[in-house]
Amino acid sequence: NPGRAGAYAGLGRVAFQQGQNKTAAKHYAKAVRLSSGNVNYRIKLGLAYFKLGRYDRARKHWTKALSLSPGNKKATRYLKLLDKKTGK
């Protein structure tokens, strides 16, 4: 249900803005499960994981976002940032 996915993404956005990254990741993960082709939800989920130091999960979602939207500037930028952070 895309409407419910949007609601979870909204909750994720609020939590992320308040620095509650674990809660944000939970909400964005639910949004991704409900709308797996939504590139923006995957990018936001990756950001929450990045903030939590879960770099493997951040990479997974940003890579998937790129496969869904080749050349996506945000996903590309975040993957480069991650490579810099992890020395890859």
Side-chain angles (χ1 to χ4, degrees):
N1 184 328
R4 282 187 40 214
Y8 282 116
L11 291 170
R13 183 174 49 254
V14 170
F16 189 82
Q17 289 170 343
Q18 294 175 347
Q20 298 172 356
N21 298 311
K22 190 173 184 179
T23 300
K26 263 197 252 184
H27 290 308
Y28 280 127
K30 287 179 185 175
V32 165
R33 277 196 296 278
L34 292 168
S35 185
S36 63
N38 187 302
V39 173
N40 191 45
Y41 297 166
R42 286 193 178 273
I43 289 172
K44 300 288 188 180
L45 178 55
L47 275 174
Y49 282 137
F50 181 84
K51 293 276 191 176
L52 290 168
R54 303 291 305 272
Y55 303 134
D56 55 333
R57 289 189 179 202
R59 183 179 305 282
K60 172 188 163 190
H61 288 286
W62 292 335
T63 301
K64 181 64 176 177
L66 262 184
S67 75
L68 293 168
S69 175
N72 183 287
K73 290 180 181 176
K74 282 185 180 180
T76 301
R77 183 171 61 237
Y78 293 142
L79 281 166
K80 285 181 182 174
L81 175 69
L82 182 58
D83 286 345
K84 212 181 253 190
K85 180 86 172 170
T86 60
K88 291 189 178 179

